[in-house]
Amino acid sequence: KSHLYPELGNWVCRQRQEYKRYMDGISTTMTEERIRQLTDIGFVFQAGKRLQIEHGEKKSWDERFEELLVYKRENGHTIVPQNYPKLGEWVKTQRKNYKYLKDGKKTSMSTEQALKLADVGFVFDATNRR
């Protein structure tokens, strides 16, 4: 319905283009802060598509854990939205892996990783937090 508000449609399109450039590591006006602000209001960065799996440099568990600590320092909690760039998907995976670990199923999560997450106040079950 962008024909009703062409300026808004153009702006949304531009945000999506800049977000894609940001995710691809290309010079852009998009910032982490703007992504956070847009995510907080429910902005949809990839309309009509499923989120694509990240192709490129895959970060280690410890690198993502460090990102979680930065997120916690900035936001005061570890409840990262699933649509938060990259870290949100990692957090979702940690919750799933923890459930598998607890249920005695095969998982890539070690007991040490679960303890590290618990030590920083990680919320393993965020279903009642929405």
Side-chain angles (χ1 to χ4, degrees):
K1 309 258 189 219
S2 64
H3 63 280
L4 296 176
Y5 302 97
E7 296 85 10
L8 179 60
N10 291 337
W11 182 84
V12 166
C13 184
R14 184 76 179 150
Q15 300 314 301
R16 289 179 176 151
Q17 289 170 345
E18 293 301 313
Y19 175 78
K20 182 175 182 342
R21 291 175 63 86
Y22 179 89
M23 297 305 282
D24 291 343
I26 300 169
S27 178
T28 177
T29 58
M30 185 60 67
T31 64
E32 280 189 43
E33 174 65 12
R34 185 180 305 160
I35 292 169
R36 187 188 61 73
Q37 290 172 337
L38 290 169
T39 299
D40 286 350
I41 63 167
F43 187 85
V44 177
F45 288 99
Q46 294 183 332
K49 299 180 191 170
R50 299 240 344 139
L51 284 176
Q52 296 172 345
I53 295 175
E54 189 179 325
H55 300 289
E57 185 182 327
K58 188 170 178 171
K59 293 195 176 181
S60 71
W61 191 94
D62 287 318
E63 288 171 311
R64 290 285 186 222
F65 182 75
E66 288 302 317
E67 287 180 24
L68 178 67
L69 296 179
V70 169
Y71 181 91
K72 182 181 180 184
R73 270 194 303 277
E74 292 174 354
N75 297 280
H77 59 79
T78 61
I79 305 167
V80 181
Q82 286 183 19
N83 59 353
Y84 191 87
K86 300 174 186 171
L87 184 60
E89 186 64 33
W90 182 83
V91 164
K92 179 182 172 186
T93 300
Q94 300 318 298
R95 290 189 176 120
K96 180 186 70 166
N97 284 338
Y98 177 74
K99 184 177 183 335
Y100 289 166
L101 183 68
K102 219 172 63 171
D103 294 345
K105 295 179 181 171
K106 186 175 179 181
T107 177
S108 60
M109 179 177 280
S110 69
T111 305
E112 291 77 21
Q113 289 171 332
L115 289 171
K116 272 181 91 167
L117 288 168
D119 284 347
V120 299
F122 187 79
V123 178
F124 288 100
D125 184 358
T127 50
N128 296 325
R129 301 277 188 143
R130 293 188 185 126

